[in-house]
Amino acid sequence: MKAVFVEEAYKVVVKEVEQPKLAANEVLIKVKVTGICGSDIHTYKGLHLFRKPPVIIGHEIAGEVVQIGEAVTQFRVGDRVTVEPQTGCGVCEQCLTGNVNYCGRRGAPGINGWYGTMAEYFAAPEQTVFKLPHGMSYDQGVLVEPFAVGVHAVRKADIQLGDKVAILGAGPIGLLTLAAAKAAGATTVLVTDVIDYALEGATNMGATHTMNIMNKQDWTSEAKELVGGEFDKVLVAVGVPGIVDNAISLLGKGGRCVTIAMFHGTQTFDIVNLQQGEKEIIGCMTYTREDTIAAIHLIAAGAVKEDVIITHKLPYDEAARGFQMVDKKEDSSLKVLVEF
């Protein structure tokens, strides 16, 4: 089968590889569409913490079941599905309490021999596979995984009805987090970025305010003035230097900051501001099964405008162009899908 590799930093190639052999508990999926994620770009640059080239890339997927293992009971050939692309050991306290994302032996596509999704076929354990509701397109289905990231972040933030929320970063994860925050009841949502077309996407997704912070020295004060006060919750969807301190500056007393982005290097912040205002910083790592199920239901209910998020669809043999497009922010790209 054909598969897309990040061969080395900044080099994407298509190779012929063996089709995955199914274990008894696995489902074989014919990939229809798979997405290029921001974390895939970290791999593309050679910066990912654990997914290193050469690797079959990808973890966002929608497709059709074409074969099932002998122990599989919940799926049949022809089912339209997506995948929550993570596994746990199944026996530790974290797995048994539903927090597979905490498991010390957590598995994911692109590590420990599990092929990534950017291939003609993808094998996944039955417990990670979810049927797409009737009427949900493959394009919507491929957004379930990144939207689950936003859903999980909103849960960690404990966004309540009427909350005033700031989302820092208007890439696909930031925009999907915006959709989740609106669904949770946030009434005022400011989205910041340095790219105007991304902020236009935020407006189209329902942001009440946007701000281009390029070359702004005191943009946090301006942001608070724009919305008439401090924020209850701030969600950080971009990992640039100083962004956590910016988030804390935006918060009112008792406010909560949730970090979603993949960070490299050290973040510093004003500990006095954090402590005296009893503010909180909470880390956020992928999602749980509960988040994935909620993401499916919310997408089915129309919470996500996929035509805003998905800006490009390319055939698999043009995947290299897609990675460059996302990395360089070319052609007003947000979410780029690769089709098989």
Side-chain angles (χ1 to χ4, degrees):
M1 69 174 186
K2 304 291 185 183
V4 176
F5 278 77
V6 174
E7 184 76 0
E8 58 188 59
Y10 297 100
K11 183 179 180 181
V12 174
V13 298
V14 177
K15 290 185 175 181
E16 192 78 31
V17 298
E18 285 191 20
Q19 184 174 303
K21 293 181 172 61
L22 280 193
N25 70 327
E26 289 185 330
V27 171
L28 185 67
I29 301 165
K30 181 175 177 58
V31 179
K32 298 294 186 179
V33 286
T34 178
I36 299 176
C37 175
S39 65
D40 294 331
I41 297 300
H42 287 274
T43 303
Y44 174 68
K45 293 180 174 182
L47 298 175
H48 200 284
L49 296 175
F50 55 82
R51 190 176 286 114
K52 302 295 184 182
V55 62
I56 299 177
I57 197 65
H59 56 272
E60 303 170 352
I61 178 177
E64 180 182 340
V65 174
V66 292
Q67 186 180 344
I68 59 173
E70 59 187 18
V72 172
T73 61
Q74 300 301 309
F75 297 92
R76 296 290 181 266
V77 171
D79 285 344
R80 299 164 60 258
V81 297
T82 188
V83 174
E84 180 189 306
Q86 62 180 359
T87 59
C89 68
V91 296
C92 69
E93 180 180 356
Q94 287 79 16
C95 286
L96 293 175
T97 54
N99 296 305
V100 172
N101 55 330
Y102 295 173
C103 179
R105 288 181 282 172
R106 176 181 171 271
I111 60 173
N112 297 328
W114 191 3
Y115 284 175
T117 60
M118 210 165 285
E120 290 184 272
Y121 296 93
F122 179 71
E126 178 179 23
Q127 74 270 19
T128 69
V129 182
F130 295 79
K131 293 179 184 177
L132 299 181
H134 178 72
M136 182 179 287
S137 69
Y138 287 123
D139 285 3
Q140 291 174 308
V142 82
L143 294 180
V144 167
E145 190 275 344
F147 189 38
V149 173
V151 171
H152 187 65
V154 165
R155 289 188 193 275
K156 297 295 284 187
D158 191 28
I159 290 177
Q160 302 290 318
L161 291 172
D163 269 353
K164 189 178 295 182
V165 176
I167 297 172
L168 312 185
I173 292 296
L175 296 183
L176 290 166
T177 301
L178 162 62
K182 296 282 288 185
T187 50
T188 300
V189 185
L190 167 74
V191 179
T192 67
D193 206 285
V194 297
I195 300 174
D196 285 334
Y197 77 77
L199 293 171
E200 183 179 346
T203 298
N204 292 334
M205 286 288 288
T208 56
H209 303 77
T210 63
M211 177 182 289
N212 189 321
I213 63 173
M214 177 70 79
N215 299 323
K216 289 182 181 288
Q217 295 301 312
D218 189 24
W219 66 265
T220 57
S221 294
E222 184 178 336
K224 287 181 282 190
E225 184 177 344
L226 184 64
V227 301
E230 295 168 319
F231 292 84
D232 302 299
K233 313 287 166 57
V234 179
L235 299 106
V236 181
V238 60
V240 297
I243 198 68
V244 173
D245 195 47
N246 295 145
I248 293 168
S249 297
L250 291 169
L251 286 171
K253 291 184 177 181
R256 179 176 291 185
C257 163
V258 173
T259 60
I260 314 169
M262 183 171 287
F263 292 88
H264 299 284
T266 302
Q267 289 279 331
T268 59
F269 56 87
D270 182 352
I271 188 67
V272 175
N273 186 3
L274 182 82
Q275 186 173 15
Q276 292 189 351
E278 285 201 342
K279 302 175 185 182
E280 299 176 291
I281 303 172
I282 297 183
C284 183
M285 175 64 178
T286 65
Y287 30 67
T288 66
R289 186 178 183 87
E290 181 182 16
D291 300 318
T292 299
I293 292 170
I296 292 171
H297 291 329
L298 285 167
I299 290 173
V304 172
K305 297 178 180 178
E306 68 274 8
D307 58 334
V308 174
I309 302 288
I310 300 168
T311 55
H312 298 77
K313 293 174 71 174
L314 301 173
Y316 71 86
D317 57 358
E318 295 183 26
R321 183 164 72 91
F323 274 82
Q324 178 179 313
M325 187 182 296
V326 176
D327 180 34
K328 302 296 185 183
K329 306 296 189 291
E330 295 175 348
D331 197 24
S332 300
S333 61
L334 290 171
K335 175 62 70 179
V336 176
L337 301 187
V338 173
E339 292 186 287
F340 284 87

